[in-house]
């Protein structure tokens, strides 16, 4: 039995009010188990929602926070095959990733490539896989097709322009601050970066070369008026996939766009996909993302890293605006 630190909450609420750094026990692995030591874990808006009690699937309390991260195998049970000390694996999502170590059944561990940097590998499971699934599961896209998104400066938005480029797709990204984000997104592979405003509707028609070429697919993670604008920016029978709601505002879609353009509104939740997809499909999706990371065609920015002991600073930074990159917890006292 060893001790480690973990970020625990016993009730839902504001993260800085309910999160506590606790010392917890980590049992020695049984014959069929492995112990995983944290390398890096990500701080996501969905983590805040889960801690706050507003996420779609909540944990039984008390709970360890954190959904995404990677670690190294620190110990293996006597009967374990296929894992050795030093192997990299995913921190188990359901148990909570914001902890120094955990012991789990080896059969439940998900192997992670060792030749991808730990901080990048830690971010491989939620945002880029959400993008990959949306680009493959809703609309039949061909090289040269346009894809539209709001919140283009977000971590997921940056994933989209890179993955779309690798697939031969072209992207229009709507952002609040074009002057800041256009050079960043263009460097990552964005084809067009436009302001998040009504006037961009006409600009998109010009950029794509006419209404017949308007995007078949749009990604919405904001909601409210931003989502309503997307309905006027997609082509006939276009599909808008909502996977987030940053503003919390109701989405009021124009009736005429539905009637005359035959629009489709869909939703996507990566958690549900993971729970319903086959192990083979999940492994294939992960492999595609790691392949792109390994090749350097998919990068993800890190704003700052903190040890678990500095969680208050880490959470405060994650809640700040103006970042370009994720906040991560990393191994350390």
């Amino acid at each position: 039995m060893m001790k480690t630190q973990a970020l625990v909450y016993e009730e839902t609420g504001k993260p800085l009010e309910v999160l506590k750094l606790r010392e917890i026990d980590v049992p020695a692995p049984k014959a069929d188990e492995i112990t995983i030591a944290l390398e890096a874990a990500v701080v996501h808006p969905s983590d805040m929602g889960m801690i706050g009690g507003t996420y779609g699937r909540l944990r039984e309390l008390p709970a360890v926070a954190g959904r995404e991260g990677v670690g190294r195998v620190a110990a293996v049970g006597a009967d374990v095959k296929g894992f050795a000390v030093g192997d990299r694996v995913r921190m188990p999502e359901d148990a909570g990733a914001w902890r120094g170590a955990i012991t789990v059944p080896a059969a439940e561990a998900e192997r992670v490539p060792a030749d991808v940097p730990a901080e990048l590998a830690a971010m491989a499971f939620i945002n880029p896989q959400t993008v990959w699934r949306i680009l493959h599961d809703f609309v039949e896209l061909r090289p040269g097709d346009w894809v539209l998104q709001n919140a283009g400066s977000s971590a997921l938005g940056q994933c989209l322009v890179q993955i779309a480029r690798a697939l031969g797709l072209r992207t229009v990204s709507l952002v609040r601050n074009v002057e800041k984000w256009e050079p960043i997104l263009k460097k990552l592979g964005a084809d067009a970066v436009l302001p998040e405003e009504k006037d961009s509707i006409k600009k998109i028609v010009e950029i794509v070369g006419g209404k017949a070429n308007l995007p078949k697919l749009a990604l919405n993670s904001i909601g409210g008026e931003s989502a309503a604008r997307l309905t006027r920016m997609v082509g006939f029978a276009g599909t808008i996939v909502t996977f987030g709601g940053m503003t919390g505002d109701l989405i009021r879609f124009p009736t005429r766009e539905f009637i005359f353009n035959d629009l489709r509104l869909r939703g996507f939740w990566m958690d549900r996909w993971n729970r319903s997809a086959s192990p083979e499909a999940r492994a294939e999706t992960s492999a595609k993302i790691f392949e792109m990371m390994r090749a350097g065609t998919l990068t993800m920015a890190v704003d700052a890293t903190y040890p678990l002991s500095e969680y208050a600073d880490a959470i405060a930074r994650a809640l700040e605006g103006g970042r370009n990159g994720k906040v991560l917890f990393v191994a350390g006292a």
Side-chain angles (χ1 to χ4, degrees), residues 252-303:
R252 292 182 171 87
F253 290 109
T255 302
R256 63 172 289 112
E257 305 302 333
F258 283 93
I259 296 172
F260 299 119
N261 283 332
D262 190 21
L263 298 187
R264 285 122 170 102
L265 299 183
R266 300 290 303 276
F268 181 79
W269 186 23
M270 193 69 205
D271 288 49
R272 178 175 286 118
W273 186 89
N274 276 325
R275 284 181 273 124
S276 62
S278 68
E280 293 77 16
R282 294 197 302 271
E284 180 182 5
T285 301
S286 293
K288 293 292 186 182
I289 298 305
F290 285 124
E291 180 181 335
M292 295 180 63
M293 288 180 167
R294 191 179 292 112
T297 55
L298 175 61
T299 62
M300 300 175 69
V302 175
D303 174 80

Side-chain angles (χ1 to χ4, degrees), residues 43-44 48 313-321 323 327:
V43 181
H44 285 296
M48 307 304 178
D313 291 338
I315 297 300
R317 180 59 183 163
L319 292 172
E320 288 181 11
R323 290 179 293 102
V327 171

Side-chain angles (χ1 to χ4, degrees), residues 101-153:
I102 186 172
T103 297
V104 299
E108 298 177 5
E110 182 176 348
R111 187 180 297 278
V112 175
D115 58 351
V116 175
E119 291 181 1
L120 184 58
M123 299 184 282
F125 305 97
I126 295 180
N127 283 335
Q129 294 197 28
T130 295
V131 169
W132 184 269
R133 296 275 33 116
I134 291 176
L135 291 179
H136 286 84
D137 293 352
F138 292 90
V139 175
E140 183 178 351
L141 296 170
R142 298 181 177 85
D145 284 347
W146 289 89
V147 177
L148 171 67
Q149 66 169 334
N150 56 20
S153 62

